[in-house]
Amino acid sequence: AHSEIWGWLGSIDCLVLPSRSKDGWGVVVSEALMQGTPVVTTENVGASIAIRESDIGEVAKARDPQDIARCTELVLGYDRSADTRKRRAHRARQMLSAESGAAYLWSAIQFSIGHGPRPEAPWD
């Protein structure tokens, strides 16, 4: 059930989304990160741009099983303590929440009409 997914995502060691084709955002990446679960994905997944910090996850080359395996091994070596998961989840929520997305969109609109500075994406 959809209501059980959040708890499940918070209990796994890592999420691997090795997309071979150009995907949209890949919302499951955001959902896992917001539960403190590190992610391995390929550069084809839009959410891969949010994986910039150490211990959040790794971005592998699409269609490269060896690189996906290498990245997965790295992620499985990450600290999975409760404190680290909480810190990881907190940072992901700062970057990926609806509120941060709305604030970024508003800043982009203000910039486009000349009423504000060029915004920085919350995941940068």
Side-chain angles (χ1 to χ4, degrees):
H2 191 269
S3 61
E4 297 172 12
I5 291 173
W6 279 86
W8 180 78
L9 283 172
S11 70
I12 61 176
D13 292 334
C14 73
L15 173 79
V16 180
L17 182 61
S19 182
R20 295 169 48 167
S21 62
K22 291 286 183 186
D23 280 336
W25 184 258
V27 73
V28 70
V29 171
S30 298
E31 291 173 334
L33 291 173
M34 288 191 281
Q35 290 300 310
T37 300
V39 172
V40 175
T41 191
T42 59
E43 72 268 3
N44 288 357
V45 176
S48 66
I49 64 173
I51 301 175
R52 301 262 191 236
E53 299 177 12
S54 61
D55 101 341
I56 285 182
E58 299 289 332
V59 179
K61 295 175 193 149
R63 300 179 182 270
D64 187 338
Q66 288 79 22
D67 197 40
I68 294 166
R70 180 190 65 78
C71 289
T72 302
E73 286 180 17
L74 285 171
V75 167
L76 289 174
Y78 287 1
D79 179 5
R80 292 189 300 269
S81 68
D83 286 343
T84 298
R85 280 186 178 264
K86 285 180 188 174
R87 183 181 46 73
R88 193 181 288 132
H90 176 74
R91 177 65 185 122
R93 288 180 180 138
Q94 287 177 321
M95 292 188 304
L96 303 170
S97 70
E99 292 81 9
S100 67
Y104 177 59
L105 175 60
W106 181 249
S107 296
I109 291 169
Q110 292 301 303
F111 172 73
S112 73
I113 61 174
H115 290 6
R118 179 180 209 89
E120 288 188 32
W123 49 83
D124 282 343

